[in-house]
Amino acid sequence: MFRRICLLSVAIACTGAPLRAERVEGYAATVQPFATRAALDAMTDGGNAIDAAVAAALTLGVVDGHNSGVGGGCFLLIHLKDGRNICIDGREIAPLAATRDMYVRDGKLDESLSKTGPLAPGVPGAIAAYSYAIKEYGRLPWKKAFAAGIRCADDGFPIDLVYARKLKATAPELALFPASRAIFLKPDGSPYLEGEILRQKDLAKSYRELAEQGAEWFYTRPFPEVTQAYMKEAGGILTAEDFATYKIKLREPLITSYHGWQIVGFPPPSSGGVHVAQMLNILENFDPAEVKPGTPEFVNRLTEVMKLAFADRAYWLGDPGFVKVPTGLFDKTYAKELAAKVASGKVTPVPDHGTPPDWQNNYFEKHTTHFVTADAEGNWVSCTATINTAFGSKVVIPGTGILMNNEMDDFSIAPGVPNHFKLIGGEANAIAPGKRPLSSMSPTIVEKDGKVVLAVGAAGGPTIITQTLLALLYTLDYDMTPADALALPRFHHQWSPDQLRMEKNTPPALVSQLKALGYEVELIEPFGGTQMIRKTADGKLTGASDPRVPGLAAPTK
């Protein structure tokens, strides 16, 4: 708590005082007080939830740059005050020169190449998505969204415990690239420590150019030329043409129901929206009152459901522009068939994927951060943004301060070869030029009687899906407050590897009971970062930032 208060004080100084008296009352929850303050200031200055979300995103790209930034991508799920739900797909895409065997050297797969270095980045989509959102649905000028980020990059900010830990873990890889080393490591090569000030002058300069020139600076001039020159020298394949041809995708929201609520999720290439909906559909066949959170019966039921969903994910999911992703995956009848496989008090083997109805004909149309914003007019945003693993590819484009993603590792780089998160992918997620890699990002909005009552999402690789599921169940089925829902110990199963991963603060008696059922339990450090805003029965906005990160959830004052 002390760290959060201190960081909030710095955030107020970094982002500036509230701007004008004209305001849109609102609420924001992000993983960083700096970014939450930027979002609240946007609404204080007369902006809406969309302006607030983009201001938060661009600030996070500075103060939480190990997780997200303009060198990465995002999924923006927006609910407008007129009732429309908008899905803006700003996911990265594979370069035009990408090939299925681009990581094979001397006949052997070199898995490191998709994770670190110039062959790891896809074409970033975040700036295109944010620009579109502001232009179409925001109120404030585009340049205002950059103000807080520019100040934080120029003046610097004290890095938090999470940032310092990830910086230490990735320092050897960052040191391989001169521009990255110059920003993120001290002159002697050691990483910055918690509380020390990190300044990013080149990134501040790039933000100013973006603020003045718009997204064109990033996609047509001059950033693509600078990137192409670097990549040509370093052995990468990104070109100016890749940037010039990038386009966002406007997707149809994935909508299902759960016990009377309407669940609005993101469609493929998000696997999160599909499988959150699928798991809720399976669980709808059971009475939530039969099991209570924190009991072996509850964990057993959900774990068996998680296994079924992730088995389907591995086989069926990919970019709908390239492969046929069956809409039957979240069909209620299919969910009932899967529910019949869930036996209480037992560990049931899941040898392979299921077969959703009419899979031949009905398809979807051709390290990470999450933040949520809402305003009193009825606009809501749930956005997940990412550069993939900590510090992405570890490559900063020289002179720009822009850290590039390593989203190419989210493809199936070879059949049966797990990615960084140990996820197995199938043919549907194979590399192809211009293709979007599969993602676990799961921005979600919940409606009741046509009005939004909750927005939620998470960070943390494939655990994003299960974090989002747990947050929804705790609030919808068990009426927990956002803070209580996010504080409970988490668990996760992704089918392969066949392990039930549980946070170390899980009660030992519960762990023992689950082992007795036959689960291979792996105790791990607290994981993830869920953000949530909820509207109470009396119409007030409340929310929570995950206690595992130094975030802030707060209303405008």
Side-chain angles (χ1 to χ4, degrees), residues 30 41 54 69 89 150 209-210 212 228 314-315 318 332 368 379 387 416 465 535:
T30 83
D41 283 353
V54 174
D89 177 351
I150 290 171
E209 296 288 354
L210 276 164
E212 292 297 328
Q228 177 174 287
Y315 183 80
K332 296 281 188 179
T368 303
N379 299 295
I387 54 173
I465 300 172
K535 181 173 281 190

Side-chain angles (χ1 to χ4, degrees), residues 98-168:
T99 63
R100 294 170 63 96
D101 61 353
M102 61 186 288
Y103 301 119
V104 175
R105 297 292 182 272
D106 298 324
K108 295 182 179 180
L109 180 69
D110 186 344
E111 297 176 43
S112 68
L113 296 176
S114 67
K115 298 175 175 66
T116 302
L119 284 173
V123 186
I127 280 294
Y130 301 148
S131 175
Y132 181 88
I134 288 288
K135 180 180 177 181
E136 295 295 324
Y137 310 114
R139 286 183 173 179
L140 298 179
W142 165 249
K143 65 189 301 181
K144 278 190 175 291
F146 290 86
I150 290 171
R151 284 193 289 269
C152 289
D154 252 341
D155 300 339
F157 63 96
I159 65 174
D160 60 55
L161 178 63
V162 176
Y163 198 119
R165 186 171 67 240
K166 292 190 177 182
L167 192 55
K168 180 180 179 180

Side-chain angles (χ1 to χ4, degrees), residues 96 123 218-229 231 237-246:
L96 295 174
V123 186
F218 194 88
Y219 291 101
T220 61
R221 65 179 196 281
F223 181 70
E225 284 76 14
V226 174
T227 302
Q228 177 174 287
M231 291 293 174
I237 59 174
L238 276 174
T239 66
E241 183 182 3
D242 288 316
F243 284 83
T245 55
Y246 183 87

Side-chain angles (χ1 to χ4, degrees), residues 327-493:
T327 58
L329 287 166
F330 65 101
D331 179 85
K332 296 281 188 179
T333 302
Y334 181 51
K336 190 171 184 178
E337 293 174 7
L338 293 178
K341 299 180 180 181
V342 178
S344 178
K346 294 182 179 179
V347 177
T348 304
V350 180
D352 207 346
H353 62 87
T355 305
D358 206 18
W359 63 270
Q360 305 96 327
N361 301 308
N362 287 330
Y363 318 114
F364 287 92
E365 59 181 87
K366 273 181 159 179
H367 280 121
T368 303
T369 191
H370 189 85
F371 46 94
V372 284
T373 59
D375 63 43
E377 295 182 339
N379 299 295
W380 292 66
V381 177
S382 183
C383 180
T384 312
T386 185
I387 54 173
N388 202 23
T389 62
F391 294 94
S393 64
K394 318 302 185 289
V395 171
V396 169
I397 303 302
T400 71
I402 294 176
L403 179 65
M404 298 298 285
N405 67 83
N406 62 347
E407 294 296 349
M408 293 299 289
D409 191 55
D410 269 357
F411 283 112
S412 304
I413 60 172
V417 176
N419 69 1
H420 173 83
F421 299 107
K422 300 182 180 179
L423 283 171
I424 298 291
E427 182 66 24
N429 194 36
I431 296 172
K435 187 176 182 180
R436 284 163 157 81
L438 188 59
S439 171
S440 296
M441 296 190 290
S442 311
T444 304
I445 284 173
V446 179
E447 298 178 2
K448 186 77 169 180
D449 300 324
K451 301 293 184 182
V452 176
V453 296
L454 188 151
V456 67
T463 72
I464 290 172
I465 300 172
T466 52
Q467 287 180 67
T468 302
L469 175 72
L470 290 171
L472 289 169
L473 295 176
Y474 292 150
T475 51
L476 300 181
D477 283 344
Y478 302 101
D479 200 29
M480 294 185 187
T481 66
D484 288 343
L486 302 193
L488 287 176
R490 292 187 177 128
F491 58 94
H492 170 79
H493 201 300

